[in-house]
Amino acid sequence: QLVLTQPPSASASLGASVNLTCTLSSGHSNYAIAWHQQRPKRGPRYLMKLNSDGAHSRGDGIPHRFSGSGSGAERHLTISSLQSEDEADYYCQTWGTDIPWVFGGGTRLTVL
Amino acid sequence: EMQLLESGGGLQQPGGSLRLSCTASGFTFSNYAMSWVRQAPGKGLEWVSGISGSGGHTSYADSVKGRLIISRDNSKNTLSLQMNSLRAEDTAVYYCAKDETSSQTMMVFDFDLWGQGTEVTVSS
């Protein structure tokens, strides 16, 4: 069964960088993932798609401060020059035949 | 600008019904599969149901099969979710989401656009 694992929380200082991780379960390292941001009391916002080779494509209007990396089972979302508005929950998500419901549990990012 | 706008949420008693709607703009609605994804209070995201661009194919999470019905009207750029036999565990904010991959027949679930959500509360 395909499972996405995310640490429940992360924190970093204003202006710094932070790296968020999403780990795909064994045997599923070739799946592409997407990263979504959810600010408090808001709907999710698509950030980017991240392929298994580390190539990524940002959604419309997503700043270059957001970048994706990683290959194999471990994928990363790096946010540089952290701003207060980046404080949010970040979800990774994958898709495939008959597995549309796979979201990670989310990482709550606190900007100090 | 592509947008999704949900409506129709509210308070309903257990066993009751509600109909949610999602109005799309800024893209060719019929070319994309759409889904409903929900978020219970304090919880993460849970996919509920999806429908192909043509409306000919649908899919449901096991937790809602037989109670929720997804449909779409491509002439009105509208996605709907008919919610019957509501349970307390259906209490959540419901979001509609659009596939990034263009297809009238396939559902890929690579979501690239979300609505702002509509809140459903099931309680007596």
Side-chain angles (χ1 to χ4, degrees), chain A residues 26-69:
Chain A
S26 176
H28 300 100
S29 59
N30 60 326
Y31 280 76
I33 71 162
W35 285 101
H36 305 278
Q37 176 196 61
Q38 187 177 31
R39 291 171 174 153
K41 307 292 186 186
R42 302 277 292 273
R45 174 194 185 197
Y46 169 69
L47 295 178
M48 68 180 67
K49 182 180 289 185
L50 177 57
N51 293 331
S52 58
D53 61 359
H56 65 278
S57 57
R58 288 180 206 85
D60 292 343
I62 303 303
H64 285 242
R65 303 189 294 108
F66 292 84
S67 62
S69 64

Side-chain angles (χ1 to χ4, degrees), chain A residues 34 36 38 41-46 49 57 60 89 91 93-96 98-105, chain B residues 2 37 39 43-48 59-61 95 100-101 107-117:
Chain A
H36 305 278
Q38 187 177 31
K41 307 292 186 186
R42 302 277 292 273
R45 174 194 185 197
Y46 169 69
K49 182 180 289 185
S57 57
D60 292 343
D89 293 329
Y91 292 92
Q93 178 234 338
T94 193
W95 55 90
D98 296 328
I99 56 162
W101 52 87
V102 183
F103 288 94
Chain B
M2 297 190 297
V37 177
Q39 186 171 36
K43 302 295 185 183
L45 300 170
E46 177 193 17
W47 174 84
V48 172
S59 184
Y60 297 91
Y95 300 101
E100 181 180 44
T101 298
M107 291 178 277
V108 179
F109 308 109
D110 54 346
F111 307 129
D112 74 336
L113 181 67
W114 299 79
Q116 90 294 341

Side-chain angles (χ1 to χ4, degrees), chain B residues 2 6 9-11 23-24 26 28 34 38-39 43-45 51 58 61 77 84 86 89-90 92 105 117 120 123-124:
Chain B
M2 297 190 297
E6 301 94 336
L11 173 64
T23 302
T28 304
M34 300 292 296
R38 68 185 180 185
Q39 186 171 36
K43 302 295 185 183
L45 300 170
I51 186 168
T58 59
N77 288 356
N84 301 319
L86 282 165
E89 53 264 36
D90 295 320
T105 56
V120 171
S123 174
S124 54

Side-chain angles (χ1 to χ4, degrees), chain B residues 13 15 18 28-29 52-53 62 80 83 87 108 112 119:
Chain B
Q13 293 187 340
L18 272 176
T28 304
F29 184 64
S52 61
D62 287 344
S80 297
M83 308 177 71
R87 303 170 179 169
V108 179
D112 74 336
E119 189 168 2

Side-chain angles (χ1 to χ4, degrees), chain A residues 83-97:
Chain A
Q83 301 178 6
S84 57
E85 66 205 45
D86 298 330
E87 188 158 288
D89 293 329
Y90 291 84
Y91 292 92
C92 59
Q93 178 234 338
T94 193
W95 55 90
T97 305

